[in-house]
Amino acid sequence: RSPRHKRNYILSFAFAFDKEEDTYYFAYCYPYTYTYLQKFLSHIEAQNFDFLQREVLCRTVQHRRIDLLTITSPQPLNDKKQTKRVIFITARVHPGESPASFMCHGLLSFLVCDHPYAKILRNNLVFKIVPMLNPDGVFLGNYRCSSMGYDLNRHWLNPDPWAHAPILHTRKLLLELAADPNVPLDFFID
């Protein structure tokens, strides 16, 4: 606790810049880049799983992909009267929140693996996953905003088709799913 800062906790550290000609970077978390995501998605797509569909939901201002992954077993539920419930997951609307990408990466890795629980989930649910909503901001190293300087999380109610395309298309898909009486949209989390 710091007596100079109203007894609040303060984290401080010292770093010795020993090579003046070097460039130094500090990050609160290990980076998870757009390129790394694309390589990972290409890798799992190349496995040709019958339960995985990858599509481009839209493109960003800087023409980067907004991927939509659908993960579910192609077989219907045993009870023909029931429909698989839909779980919708998005991540990385704020570029600085790289732990969200690691969480999403782990979730995707689990959902496509051979573990019996992963098979149960695929057999009973439909997962719709947008793993990176703000790849332009991630690519540029922004912390909270897009390439245009917008906090995309503040534009869900009235997204601009050009400046907030990832939000617009994700919102449109969510509203379509919610309005369809044949699609039980059960859960959405960002």
Side-chain angles (χ1 to χ4, degrees):
R1 289 189 172 237
S2 170
R4 290 181 11 194
H5 296 93
K6 300 180 184 177
R7 306 272 312 139
N8 291 317
Y9 291 100
I10 301 296
L11 171 67
S12 62
F13 60 92
F15 182 83
F17 296 93
D18 56 347
K19 295 183 180 175
E20 192 174 309
E21 67 278 2
D22 281 356
T23 302
Y24 294 86
Y25 298 95
F26 296 91
Y28 84 99
C29 183
Y30 192 79
Y32 191 104
T33 65
Y34 173 73
T35 303
Y36 184 65
L37 172 68
Q38 290 303 308
K39 287 178 182 177
F40 172 65
L41 296 180
S42 294
H43 171 74
I44 60 174
E45 184 180 33
Q47 306 300 310
N48 292 317
F49 296 122
D50 65 346
F51 53 78
L52 172 73
Q53 179 185 351
R54 179 184 182 194
E55 58 189 294
V56 177
L57 182 62
C58 68
R59 296 238 177 220
T60 66
V61 171
Q62 295 184 340
H63 305 289
R64 290 186 179 83
R65 295 172 61 111
I66 299 295
D67 287 288
L68 171 65
L69 303 172
T70 303
I71 300 173
T72 189
S73 171
Q75 289 79 31
L77 291 172
N78 291 336
D79 182 355
K80 303 293 184 206
K81 297 176 188 171
Q82 286 190 320
T83 305
K84 291 181 183 179
R85 302 187 81 67
V86 176
I87 308 297
F88 204 107
I89 300 168
T90 63
R92 210 68 188 275
V93 71
H94 293 134
E97 297 170 352
S98 55
S101 285
F102 288 105
M103 293 293 295
C104 196
H105 185 114
L107 175 66
L108 288 169
S109 294
F110 178 72
L111 289 174
V112 301
C113 80
D114 287 333
H115 193 282
Y117 289 165
K119 291 178 183 178
I120 290 169
L121 289 170
R122 291 193 304 262
N123 288 339
N124 291 284
L125 299 167
V126 177
F127 290 89
K128 298 270 187 191
I129 302 172
V130 180
M132 192 175 283
L133 279 170
N134 191 353
D136 290 350
V138 169
F139 181 82
L140 294 170
N142 294 345
Y143 182 76
R144 195 161 182 87
C145 63
S146 68
S147 62
M148 302 298 296
Y150 292 106
D151 180 345
L152 295 179
N153 224 16
R154 301 293 173 254
H155 294 278
W156 282 97
L157 289 179
N158 192 21
D160 179 81
W162 182 73
H164 317 127
I167 300 301
L168 176 80
H169 290 278
T170 303
R171 181 181 192 271
K172 181 180 173 192
L173 179 57
L174 278 165
L175 291 173
E176 287 172 4
L177 292 171
D180 188 338
N182 299 316
V183 177
L185 179 59
D186 200 41
F187 190 76
F188 169 68
I189 189 168
D190 174 57

